Amino acid sequence: MSVALAAGRQGDVTGRVSAFAPARVNLIGDHTDYTGGLACPMAVDLGTTVTLDPGGDAVRLVSDATGTAADVPLDVADVASVTPPWARYVAGVVALLRPPAGGTGVVASTVPLGAGLSSSASLELAVALALGFAGTPLDLARLGQAAEHLATGTPTGLLDQVASACGRAGHAMVVDFTTLDVDHVPLPDGVEVVVVDSGQRRELATTAYAERRAQCAAAADLIGPLATATEADAESLADPVLRRRARHVVTENARVRAFATALRAGDAVEAGRLMLASHASLATDFEVSVPALDGRVGELRQTPGVYGARMTGGGFGGCVVALTEPGAVRAGWHVRAVAGAARLVP
Ligand code: GLA
């Protein structure tokens, strides 16, 4: 998003404002967004609340989780060098939004940091709304993604921000990253979504993510857009690494479609089977899993009442997500699907 495009989107901001943006869990469809593919995330009842008293020429926010402060001048230029590191997400939003006034306030988060539940996307969106952003949910998502790129330099897709911006209570959503259509799908009664931390913090994620993205682009140069490629197209690739990467993306898109059909039919058994197949594809063909994630998925699939489980998000650590009968799994966060990011006050 260009600065010019972002300018002028601010609404009227007077008096204390407060905004909440949810974290997300991706039920299926990972490493598909940046090739225009499909994913099925949901916004969850963990998230970030930003409360702000507008005014002044800087955005000053204290994090209740760390006790540290972000102090970002409205004319911030070098976003990636702002400290502490979490303040870079605030700085990215400020640099793109260029609000007419700053503010002083607090960031309160219930998202486990660095666990792969998009704590950064929820921070970006809550900050933007608190600073007066007034566009569509998709515009908000694009702003958050652009801020993330400025903050981290990692060429992430739009999954995390769309999930946070476009949530609906009781629903997952199928997102088509070519058209940006968002199709909400009700979660069947009598299933629980449980997120279990692998305990491994995400390492090498930046380098490996950019490498995977480049490999998908190289495959698409040879066989056309992966979003419309067939399995036969993927198998025709001579390079074994590109072949595996393309095969993951093509089969994952098909699994997202089948998963949505299964959810609509209330078929949790089939949905769980697809989640396990997705994990295997991410581990074997896309090579973004790690033993800690494989181990959690292996334990969960042996647990009575678990329909399926898979790593969720970028991989190399973070969390797994399981679809279960109520009460089947005690550990982890039992998350509910909630509405998307919104201003709470005023
Ligand atoms: C990270 C990125 C997303 C997406 C996932 C993998 O969460 O931020 O854009 O690519 O990895 O699906």
Side-chain angles (χ1 to χ4, degrees), residues 193-207:
V193 177
V194 185
V195 179
V196 181
D197 196 345
S198 72
Q200 180 161 335
R201 285 295 158 263
R202 300 192 308 138
E203 289 160 18
L204 296 174
T206 292
T207 327

Side-chain angles (χ1 to χ4, degrees), residues 66-230:
T66 63
T68 56
D71 194 343
V72 178
L74 292 182
D75 61 355
V76 61
D78 187 4
V79 169
S81 63
V82 168
T83 57
W86 70 266
R88 292 173 196 159
Y89 302 108
V90 178
V93 171
V94 170
L96 292 161
L97 201 57
R98 296 293 181 204
T104 304
V106 176
V107 176
S109 178
T110 54
V111 193
L113 302 179
L117 297 181
S118 301
S119 52
S120 58
S122 77
L123 174 61
E124 292 146 12
L125 271 52
V127 168
L129 288 169
L131 288 173
F133 176 87
T136 67
L138 280 178
D139 286 343
L140 178 63
R142 286 195 195 91
L143 174 75
Q145 181 196 31
E148 178 104 15
H149 289 175
L150 287 179
T152 65
T154 307
T156 42
L158 201 53
L159 168 69
D160 308 341
Q161 291 83 7
V162 167
S164 178
C166 299
R168 182 181 291 177
H171 290 67
M173 67 193 92
V174 174
V175 186
D176 180 326
F177 289 95
T178 295
T179 60
L180 291 182
D181 280 345
V182 176
D183 189 10
H184 291 96
V185 182
L187 289 163
D189 292 336
V191 297
E192 276 185 1
V193 177
V194 185
V195 179
V196 181
D197 196 345
S198 72
Q200 180 161 335
R201 285 295 158 263
R202 300 192 308 138
E203 289 160 18
L204 296 174
T206 292
T207 327
Y209 189 95
E211 183 191 70
R212 296 300 185 283
R213 191 168 175 155
Q215 289 164 340
C216 287
D221 282 346
L222 295 166
I223 60 171
L226 299 188
T228 49
T230 64

Side-chain angles (χ1 to χ4, degrees), residues 8-339:
R9 289 238 170 116
Q10 299 82 22
D12 294 334
V13 177
T14 50
R16 176 165 294 183
V17 290
S18 173
F20 173 80
R24 66 98 184 95
V25 65
N26 195 20
L27 297 177
I28 196 163
D30 270 310
H31 288 281
T32 49
D33 60 346
Y34 50 80
T35 52
L38 303 173
C40 185
M42 63 188 232
V44 301
D45 53 339
L46 301 168
T48 305
T49 306
V50 171
T51 306
L52 194 75
D53 292 316
D57 56 5
V59 177
R60 297 193 174 90
L61 293 170
V62 175
S63 157
D64 77 338
T66 63
T68 56
D71 194 343
V72 178
L74 292 182
D75 61 355
V76 61
D78 187 4
V79 169
S81 63
V82 168
T83 57
W86 70 266
R88 292 173 196 159
Y89 302 108
V90 178
V93 171
V94 170
L96 292 161
L97 201 57
R98 296 293 181 204
T104 304
V106 176
V107 176
S109 178
T110 54
V111 193
L113 302 179
L117 297 181
S118 301
S119 52
S120 58
S122 77
L123 174 61
E124 292 146 12
L125 271 52
V127 168
L129 288 169
L131 288 173
F133 176 87
T136 67
L138 280 178
D139 286 343
L140 178 63
R142 286 195 195 91
L143 174 75
Q145 181 196 31
E148 178 104 15
H149 289 175
L150 287 179
T152 65
T154 307
T156 42
L158 201 53
L159 168 69
D160 308 341
Q161 291 83 7
V162 167
S164 178
C166 299
R168 182 181 291 177
H171 290 67
M173 67 193 92
V174 174
V175 186
D176 180 326
F177 289 95
T178 295
T179 60
L180 291 182
D181 280 345
V182 176
D183 189 10
H184 291 96
V185 182
L187 289 163
D189 292 336
V191 297
E192 276 185 1
V193 177
V194 185
V195 179
V196 181
D197 196 345
S198 72
Q200 180 161 335
R201 285 295 158 263
R202 300 192 308 138
E203 289 160 18
L204 296 174
T206 292
T207 327
Y209 189 95
E211 183 191 70
R212 296 300 185 283
R213 191 168 175 155
Q215 289 164 340
C216 287
D221 282 346
L222 295 166
I223 60 171
L226 299 188
T228 49
T230 64
E231 269 192 79
D233 293 332
E235 295 300 339
S236 76
L237 286 162
D239 181 297
V241 174
L242 297 192
R243 187 161 66 232
R244 289 202 301 277
R245 303 295 186 254
R247 186 165 60 204
H248 165 71
V249 174
V250 170
T251 59
E252 186 79 344
N253 287 333
R255 281 186 290 270
V256 174
R257 281 192 200 91
F259 184 84
T261 303
L263 281 192
R264 287 204 166 92
D267 188 348
V269 172
E270 172 65 0
R273 187 192 69 76
L274 290 160
M275 291 171 80
L276 289 165
S278 169
H279 183 81
S281 178
L282 286 158
T284 309
D285 278 347
F286 219 70
E287 297 178 280
V288 290
S289 190
V290 288
L293 291 168
D294 296 341
R296 288 287 184 199
V297 170
E299 286 158 23
L300 285 163
R301 74 181 300 175
Q302 302 299 330
T303 304
V306 173
Y307 296 113
R310 60 186 288 282
M311 55 156 274
T312 182
F316 300 100
C319 289
V320 304
V321 59
L323 198 66
T324 79
E325 287 175 0
V329 175
R330 287 198 181 181
W333 296 275
H334 292 63
V335 292
R336 288 182 309 112
V338 299

